[in-house]
Amino acid sequence: MPITLRELAGKLALPVLAGDVSRPVGWVHGTELEDPTPFLEGGELLLTTGLHALRDGYVERLVRAGVVGLGFGTGLSHDVVPSSLVEAAAKAALGLVEVPREVPFIAISKAVSKALAADEYAALSRTSEAQRALTRAAVRAGVGGVVRRLGQWIDGWVVLLDAAGEPVHAHNPRLVPDLTAELARLKTAGGLASAAFELDGVHVFLQALGSRARGVLAVGTARPDPGIVNTAASLLVLALAQHDSVDAARRELRAGQFRMLLAGLPIDGLPTRFRVFLAGEPPDDTVFWAAVDGDIVVLADEFDGVASSEVDQSGVARGYREAQQARRAGVRTFEDLAGSLKVPDGFADALLRPLDAETRETLRVWLTHHGAWDPAATEMGVHRHTLRNRVRKAEQALGRSLDSPGLRAELWLALHREGQ
């Protein structure tokens, strides 16, 4: 923070005579003009020896010009500071200090210049440190890490909004005000990439991230530091571009893995048995999914979508076909296809009549597992040899071989009808 008039007076042992001495000193200027205000910018500590009489209205003009304080040198034109000046400074709340002759004006200028240089160096150091911290966050944690680290540095709130204005990542989200109007102005400002304003005492920055399609960084803080915000925005543009590249590579990898499964080649990380789902939107990465030929295909035990019957890795191609057939038929699962087909009355009774209840249940489980012996035997709690014997018994009763896909389909349809 810049040095205040009180701190300066304490540093150089200058007596404080009147007014507000808590304001920071932006510069020091010595003058003996009766009206120096045309040469001032505001924020100055004005030094004078009172060589010429200070006429009425002198202090008021200084206040209007934004002067933060007046240093009156004694021991030259005046032995003491005129009481009228002290009274005027007190009335106008202008900080007034006495500068004894043994304290040269140049010492005050040097002290302020040194303090300003130290403050600027501290600000540059802080910005540099923040840039390094934000860069580390981008490398280690990506987009979300940059947002969190920025929020910590500015001690405020930060939100990354997508192109639709929806929050993607946020720090201190409960503090974020309604920015709808400001975002709309930024969007329609004819190429404007950023905006800065004050809202309820908080400095707010809006920064479009490269192409506006990438979103907007919104920051609110009581300690504005545009340099840090700009650094964060640049890192976010890079991180988002990297994320897009990585996401595209992952999509290609998953599509390639799914094509391997279609070809009968196994991959790691899948459950033993699952269903093939056709979903409307890509899920998160807690389940395997791939975008293939316009479909979002999900391999999972349960999911919201059109599903095949249960398969293992060797049956993914069949499961994919089943899910597509179920979608074309307008049903939720491949098993529901049986209920949607039109079959003659008495079909199930006629086909299943030679089979007892145990054999019917055996065939239902076995066909559910697509003729796989071990999983079907496990579900029924019998040895696979027992299961084989029961299936042979069914073939003998039906007088037909269950190696026939047509018979399996008829039995599946009949068993499903029977259970309705």
Side-chain angles (χ1 to χ4, degrees):
M1 292 291 293
I3 191 170
T4 65
L5 183 53
R6 177 182 289 109
E7 292 168 340
L8 180 64
K11 187 179 182 67
L12 299 177
L14 306 178
V16 175
L17 304 180
D20 179 8
V21 292
S22 65
R23 299 172 64 189
V25 178
W27 198 245
V28 178
H29 181 63
T31 180
E32 300 298 337
L33 296 175
E34 293 184 10
D35 183 9
T37 56
F39 308 97
L40 304 177
E41 295 182 350
E44 297 91 352
L45 168 63
L46 207 62
L47 302 178
T48 183
T49 64
L51 183 61
H52 301 289
L54 303 181
R55 299 172 184 255
D56 292 342
Y58 178 77
V59 169
E60 288 75 10
R61 287 196 298 274
L62 297 186
V63 171
R64 286 196 296 271
V67 171
V68 301
L70 180 64
F72 194 93
T74 55
L76 293 173
S77 302
H78 298 268
D79 292 331
V80 297
V81 179
S83 58
S84 59
L85 183 61
V86 176
E87 292 174 4
K91 182 178 180 181
L94 177 68
L96 176 63
V97 297
E98 180 183 353
V99 184
R101 184 170 182 177
E102 58 269 21
V103 181
F105 283 3
I106 190 64
I108 299 175
S109 296
K110 285 183 176 180
V112 171
S113 180
K114 184 177 180 180
L116 291 173
D119 188 62
E120 183 175 354
Y121 178 77
L124 290 173
S125 297
R126 182 174 183 273
T127 299
S128 178
E129 186 178 355
Q131 290 172 342
R132 290 194 295 272
L134 289 168
T135 301
R136 288 195 297 271
V139 171
R140 295 173 182 174
V143 174
V146 173
V147 170
R148 289 191 299 273
R149 200 70 183 96
L150 176 60
Q152 293 165 357
W153 266 99
I154 65 168
D155 192 23
W157 55 262
V158 180
V159 59
L160 175 63
L161 304 164
D162 62 17
E166 295 297 323
V168 180
H169 297 281
H171 178 82
N172 284 337
R174 71 184 190 284
L175 301 179
V176 180
D178 183 5
L179 300 172
T180 305
E182 289 77 11
L183 290 170
R185 281 194 290 270
L186 183 68
K187 187 175 182 180
T188 58
L192 187 65
S194 63
F197 51 92
E198 191 170 323
L199 191 63
D200 296 330
V202 176
H203 297 275
V204 178
F205 299 90
L206 300 180
Q207 179 72 53
L209 300 178
S211 166
R212 287 199 187 120
R214 293 190 179 277
V216 174
L217 175 66
V219 178
T221 177
R223 301 183 302 170
D225 195 331
I228 294 177
V229 175
N230 290 336
T231 296
S234 298
L235 288 169
L236 286 172
V237 170
L238 294 174
L240 288 169
Q242 183 183 39
H243 179 272
D244 290 346
S245 298
V246 171
D247 186 59
R250 286 176 176 170
R251 282 175 172 259
E252 287 296 326
L253 175 61
R254 284 193 294 261
Q257 289 178 314
F258 185 71
R259 289 191 174 93
M260 289 175 60
L261 290 168
L262 291 178
L265 300 175
I267 66 171
D268 295 331
L270 291 180
T272 303
R273 298 192 66 79
F274 48 84
R275 292 176 182 267
V276 179
F277 292 88
L278 301 180
E281 296 290 338
D284 58 33
D285 290 334
T286 58
V287 296
F288 179 90
W289 66 275
V292 181
D293 298 331
D295 288 329
I296 300 298
V297 184
V298 180
L299 308 183
D301 296 325
E302 294 183 4
F303 197 76
D304 184 18
V306 178
S308 71
S309 59
E310 193 175 57
V311 298
D312 57 18
Q313 289 203 35
S314 65
V316 169
R318 177 171 51 78
Y320 188 29
R321 291 193 299 271
E322 289 181 356
Q324 291 174 319
Q325 290 170 7
R327 181 174 60 186
R328 286 194 294 269
V331 296
R332 296 292 294 175
T333 68
F334 182 72
E335 290 89 342
D336 292 338
L337 275 174
S340 66
L341 296 176
K342 301 298 183 182
V343 296
D345 293 337
F347 169 78
D349 290 339
L351 182 61
L352 300 178
R353 187 175 299 117
L355 307 177
D356 59 28
E358 180 185 66
T359 305
R360 294 183 188 189
E361 178 62 15
T362 297
L363 290 177
R364 187 190 64 77
V365 174
W366 184 64
L367 291 171
T368 297
H369 290 280
H370 310 289
W373 300 103
D374 288 341
T378 299
E379 180 175 333
M380 297 188 66
V382 300
H383 195 277
R384 64 178 178 275
H385 294 318
T386 301
L387 177 61
R388 288 180 184 273
N389 290 333
R390 291 182 182 179
V391 172
R392 280 197 293 269
K393 177 183 174 182
E395 288 179 320
Q396 293 169 357
L398 293 168
R400 299 168 64 184
S401 172
L402 282 168
D403 290 336
S404 167
L407 178 58
R408 291 191 185 192
E410 291 175 1
L411 283 171
W412 175 254
L413 180 59
L415 290 166
H416 185 84
R417 279 290 191 181
E418 183 186 44
Q420 292 183 339

